[in-house]
Amino acid sequence: MMRELTYYVAVSLDGFIAGPNHEFDRFVFEGDHAEWLWNRYPGTAPTAMADAAGLSVDGGPFDTVLMGWNTYSVGLPDSPSPYGHFRQIVFSRNRAPLAGSDGVEFTDRDPVEMIRELKQMPGEGIWLCGGGKLAAALVDEIDRFAFKLNPMLFGDGVRVFGDRSYMPAAVERTDTRAFQSGVVLAEYSRRR
């Protein structure tokens, strides 16, 4: 069976995954949604954060994480290998590997070509962690969408699909769960 690519990301109600300076600290991290989401998508916190919280990173749906440079750079310089429990791939056309980034693959390859190869390899699911520009490039390859809708408006920033042109694509809702924190998990699958 072919591996699936899931875009699992926090998003504001107006469609942004980060602010204009790539900040994401306004998203709701604590509340009744946190434990439930961890149980649904174990392993999706940075390794150091999971260790500090006593969370197991085993048994999750993913074994590979994809990031654009801006998503990857959020934890720098403190965490040059943020998801050490996964195969980590960072897409960047002009950035070189950093000191201490052992276990992180930096590539300037075409993301579509690479994801098609990854899907053919044995393993668990592939998690697209961010960013919007990478998601725009991979949108036709994404099999599942899991959006953590946060109760806020950003007004500006990094759009969930970057600056993607208008190109409608049908998806179907597979699950929706609302939490007292105001976060709503909305999950969809691509109609093939």
Side-chain angles (χ1 to χ4, degrees):
M1 186 162 130
M2 187 181 299
R3 298 166 76 189
E4 291 187 326
L5 175 61
T6 300
Y7 190 17
Y8 174 58
V9 68
V11 62
S12 67
L13 291 179
D14 52 350
F16 295 97
I17 60 172
N21 297 310
H22 304 283
E23 65 273 23
F24 61 92
D25 57 334
R26 301 297 301 186
F27 287 128
V28 180
F29 292 101
E30 296 179 357
D32 61 325
H33 66 283
E35 183 178 354
W36 192 92
L37 288 173
W38 182 260
N39 289 327
R40 177 81 162 204
Y41 292 102
T44 54
T47 307
M49 185 182 297
D51 289 347
L55 299 170
S56 172
V57 294
D58 298 326
F62 310 119
D63 66 7
T64 303
V65 60
L66 310 179
M67 298 170 271
W69 174 262
N70 289 324
T71 299
Y72 168 72
S73 68
V74 166
L76 296 177
D78 299 327
S79 185
S81 183
Y83 297 97
H85 54 284
F86 288 147
R87 178 179 180 189
Q88 304 168 87
I89 303 172
V90 175
F91 289 86
S92 177
R93 297 210 187 282
N94 55 8
R95 303 286 182 150
L98 303 174
S101 61
D102 300 336
V104 179
E105 299 171 47
F106 293 85
T107 183
D108 62 356
R109 287 186 58 195
D110 173 53
V112 171
E113 178 184 295
M114 188 160 191
I115 195 64
R116 288 179 178 167
E117 288 177 14
L118 288 170
K119 284 183 171 187
Q120 297 298 322
M121 295 177 179
E124 301 299 323
I126 304 162
W127 172 31
L128 173 55
C129 180
K133 191 174 185 180
L134 181 57
L138 291 173
V139 69
D140 294 328
E141 302 301 320
I142 299 171
D143 302 291
R144 298 190 180 281
F145 305 86
F147 295 143
K148 298 174 282 187
L149 300 172
N150 277 250
M152 65 195 47
L153 303 170
F154 278 14
D156 192 12
V158 179
R159 295 187 183 282
V160 71
F161 288 105
D163 295 327
R164 183 174 187 258
S165 299
Y166 180 72
M167 295 178 69
V171 296
E172 57 187 339
R173 185 182 62 83
T174 56
D175 197 7
T176 307
R177 185 168 301 260
F179 300 92
Q180 291 299 315
S181 64
V183 172
V184 174
L185 177 67
E187 296 175 299
Y188 300 87
S189 291
R190 178 176 300 283
R191 287 186 187 162
R192 299 278 186 200

